[in-house]
Amino acid sequence: MKQHEPDFLVLEYITITKDPRTGLVVAIGGTEKAADILQRTGGFLSAAGHHGNYHRLPHGLPVEQQRLKATTASHALLAAGHNVHLDPALNMLSVPNGDRDAARRYLGHLAERVAAAETSSQVAEVLTEIAAPVNGLLPLTREVVVRASFAARALQDTASSDEPDPIDRLGDITHSMSRAAQVILHARNQAARAPQKAPTPPPNSPQSPASRRR
């Protein structure tokens, strides 16, 4: 007898996140009921986009206000039965140091993956995670150092000193990080092109004398 899948009432999935280009907190997806909740509980505004309507918080809100409104709206949506993804950076109820702990777990997971790798392509996958040009760990870390050097320079006292300036050396470090990422990607490409070794078959179990006589 053929079994049929049960019918479920599935509301549209809603994503609340911060757009990296504009810095606006936006909510994408949802029904008219969800739009009403976003506007009433979070102060979101309706906006027309190229691919349909969406909602956003007003311009110029402080970061803590953005987080408060996004968290409040997401919990109201969840209580009403909607499926919601809230960007962890906007979640005021997230565990302290949660992002740092997640980063540590991620790095530990990469170390475990490369330790358990059985093919060079699996090693190449881990190296890609480290040095991919846009979202690799090393380029993202380099971006943090670059921004830190600019911020430190803008806030630094302009008094002269005979000592070498550590902030100036940050620029040299970022160049070194870029070169390191290029070397890692070169190694990644070589590992990805390497012929894969066939898995070693397990040793044959010794046969009993009785089985050999058959």
Side-chain angles (χ1 to χ4, degrees), residues 22-214:
T22 63
L24 288 173
V25 175
V26 298
I28 302 171
T31 61
E32 291 185 359
K33 179 182 177 182
D36 177 70
I37 294 173
L38 284 166
Q39 293 172 13
R40 285 189 298 103
T41 65
F44 281 76
L45 306 174
S46 179
H50 294 296
H51 302 288
N53 293 337
Y54 67 97
H55 290 79
R56 64 167 177 82
L57 288 179
H59 292 275
L61 284 178
V63 173
E64 289 307 308
Q65 280 293 311
Q66 291 179 342
R67 298 181 69 205
L68 175 62
K69 290 179 177 294
T71 301
T72 301
S74 69
H75 282 268
L77 288 165
L78 288 170
H82 296 270
N83 294 308
V84 184
H85 167 71
L86 175 64
D87 187 335
L90 295 171
N91 190 354
M92 293 199 72
L93 304 180
S94 60
V95 178
N97 295 326
D99 291 341
R100 178 182 296 180
D101 292 339
R104 288 173 176 169
R105 288 194 300 270
Y106 177 57
L107 290 172
H109 176 63
L110 289 181
E112 292 172 359
R113 281 176 59 186
V114 78
E118 297 180 350
T119 65
S120 57
S121 63
Q122 291 174 335
V123 175
E125 291 173 359
V126 175
L127 294 178
T128 302
E129 294 287 330
I130 295 171
V134 177
N135 294 318
L137 293 173
L138 189 52
L140 289 174
T141 303
R142 177 189 176 277
E143 179 67 19
V144 174
V145 176
V146 169
R147 295 191 180 199
S149 66
F150 290 152
R153 176 59 64 207
L155 297 171
Q156 186 186 38
D157 190 352
T158 57
S160 60
S161 173
D162 295 334
E163 297 293 329
D165 192 344
I167 296 177
D168 288 340
R169 297 187 61 187
L170 287 179
D172 297 332
I173 292 174
T174 57
H175 290 308
S176 298
M177 295 173 74
S178 296
R179 290 194 296 268
Q182 292 173 1
V183 172
I184 293 173
L185 283 178
H186 182 71
R188 176 261 176 207
N189 293 337
Q190 183 174 340
R193 290 193 298 264
Q196 306 299 309
K197 293 182 179 180
T200 304
N204 294 326
S205 56
Q207 294 182 332
S208 64
S211 64
R212 287 198 297 268
R213 285 196 296 271
R214 294 176 192 165

